Amino acid sequence: QAIFVIAQMLPKYRSTPLVKDGISYWYFVVCITQPLHCWVCKWDLIFLGEIVILVVLYALTRIVFAQRSIPTENVGEYWLFKFPFDIN
């Protein structure tokens, strides 16, 4: 994910449809809810942890389905922007 974060900030990629429309603001939701899930589970709030992980799942699913409709221009775009979300 660190490679994705750096790559999407580069001028070459930041305005591509794959980043703007495929990932959009859903990655921000993922970045907020993943650490929240760790914190909630640390305090043994299992039910709340399940709700948070469902939000993570929903955000990742939205990213994957949004990216499916956008073709990649080359193999590098797939490995940088689609693969990290496909393996989740």
Side-chain angles (χ1 to χ4, degrees):
Q1 284 184 351
I3 295 170
F4 157 74
V5 169
I6 293 168
Q8 60 96 24
M9 289 189 298
L10 297 174
K12 178 180 178 181
Y13 295 117
R14 72 174 132 211
S15 62
T16 62
L18 198 55
V19 173
K20 288 173 48 179
D21 302 325
I23 298 166
S24 186
Y25 292 102
W26 287 109
Y27 188 66
F28 177 75
V29 173
V30 171
C31 289
I32 296 299
T33 52
Q34 282 180 335
L36 180 64
H37 176 258
C38 294
W39 182 81
V40 166
C41 287
K42 176 185 180 260
W43 294 101
D44 290 330
L45 303 170
I46 303 303
F47 181 71
L48 186 58
E50 289 177 5
I51 293 171
V52 173
I53 204 68
L54 286 174
V55 172
V56 172
L57 177 64
Y58 178 74
L60 288 171
T61 304
R62 290 290 305 251
I63 291 171
V64 169
F65 281 112
Q67 286 184 335
R68 283 188 181 173
S69 63
I70 302 169
T72 55
E73 294 181 13
N74 55 46
V75 176
E77 280 192 2
Y78 171 78
W79 286 106
L80 286 174
F81 302 116
K82 284 190 174 184
F83 181 73
F85 298 105
D86 285 344
I87 62 173
N88 276 321

